[in-house]
Amino acid sequence: QVQLQESGPGLVKPSETLSLTCAVSGYSISSGYYWGWIRQPPGKGLEWIGSIYHSGSTYYNPSLKSRVTISVDTSKNQFSLKLSSVTAADTAVYYCARDANGSGSYYPLWGQGTLVTVSS
Amino acid sequence: SYVLTQPPSVSVAPGKTARITCGGNNIGSKSVHWYQQKPGQAPVLVIYYDSDRPSGIPERFSGSNSGNTATLTISRVEAGDEADYYCQVWDSSSDHPVVFGGGTKLTVL
């Protein structure tokens, strides 16, 4: 059974870089699928951040593109999110997810999410 | 980028039918997916490709998509269906291919 687990600091200072990792168990990340990050500010809706194909190709939400990097570490079977120059508006629950069929079209498998607060 | 519009809230009595809409320009030409999210939990896929149900999702959940509106229908609504529901599309021609609607809070009266 495939499982995803986010990890990283729960508190990040303004202007610094948010770094999260999604550990994947039960499936080899290098074998296929798109792996994505989605966030949800407190009390608000879902926002797609970006996705990475198992081969390493990426695509990002244009509104965040200048600050986002998503990468894959096949040796550790995990993928990561870096979001630079954070502000309070980046405070959110961050989810990692896997798509259904390698097309990137929808995401049936999610991690439990991790809350990241941006504050000094 | 593509915009999806959902009503902020829908209310329904137990046992009745709830319909949650998702509006978008010519959305009928795209595939729509629906997620259910209960408080403190990650979203759960309830409908994919307009009307397909993942295993484990009750038959009471159904979907349709035509013209400028996609609809998630929940029949014989139960108290446990109370949640936020999000539609999502994949726009392969866009530089913003994964788009979520703003979400609809379903309240069971």
Side-chain angles (χ1 to χ4, degrees):
Chain A
Q1 160 189 2
V2 183
Q3 292 184 316
L4 285 69
Q5 178 67 59
E6 305 90 349
S7 63
L11 181 64
V12 181
K13 290 182 169 55
S15 80
E16 295 189 343
T17 296
L18 179 159
S19 296
L20 296 174
T21 296
C22 182
V24 179
S25 59
Y27 185 82
S28 174
I29 202 169
S30 61
S31 296
Y33 294 103
Y34 274 95
W35 306 86
W37 289 96
I38 298 104
R39 71 180 183 178
Q40 184 172 36
K44 296 188 177 181
L46 302 170
E47 180 182 32
W48 172 72
I49 300 170
S51 300
I52 187 166
Y53 196 48
H54 68 97
S55 61
S57 60
T58 55
Y59 56 103
Y60 301 130
N61 185 325
S63 68
L64 299 170
K65 187 174 183 178
S66 64
R67 300 193 291 131
V68 173
T69 302
I70 297 175
S71 59
V72 168
D73 186 340
T74 55
S75 67
K76 295 182 179 180
N77 211 42
Q78 64 187 31
F79 61 107
S80 300
L81 168 70
K82 292 188 185 299
L83 180 65
S84 64
S85 304
V86 298
T87 70
D90 295 308
T91 293
V93 175
Y94 286 76
Y95 296 99
C96 59
R98 192 195 80 177
D99 91 317
N101 52 16
S103 68
S105 60
Y106 66 101
Y107 291 80
L109 187 61
W110 296 59
Q112 65 184 28
T114 187
L115 174 63
V116 178
T117 301
V118 178
S119 175
S120 55
Chain B
S1 62
Y2 194 73
V3 176
L4 295 174
T5 301
Q6 296 183 239
S9 63
V10 168
S11 299
V12 64
K16 300 299 186 183
T17 297
R19 294 180 180 85
I20 298 172
T21 59
C22 176
N25 184 34
N26 197 25
I27 195 174
S29 67
K30 304 182 188 301
S31 293
V32 179
H33 317 291
W34 291 90
Y35 302 83
Q36 175 195 68
Q37 185 181 34
K38 296 182 178 179
Q41 299 183 17
V44 172
L45 183 74
V46 294
I47 293 289
Y48 63 101
Y49 289 139
D50 297 341
S51 58
D52 290 339
R53 271 179 295 104
S55 60
I57 301 301
E59 291 183 6
R60 301 184 296 105
F61 288 80
S62 62
S64 62
N65 184 19
S66 179
N68 292 317
T69 305
T71 303
L72 172 69
T73 300
I74 309 172
S75 304
R76 302 180 301 281
V77 167
E78 303 174 356
D81 298 331
E82 185 162 290
D84 294 323
Y85 291 86
Y86 295 90
C87 59
Q88 179 244 310
V89 299
W90 162 254
D91 187 358
S92 60
S93 63
S94 169
D95 62 351
H96 188 174
V98 180
V99 179
F100 288 96
T104 297
K105 168 67 175 178
L106 175 67
T107 298
V108 181
L109 301 171

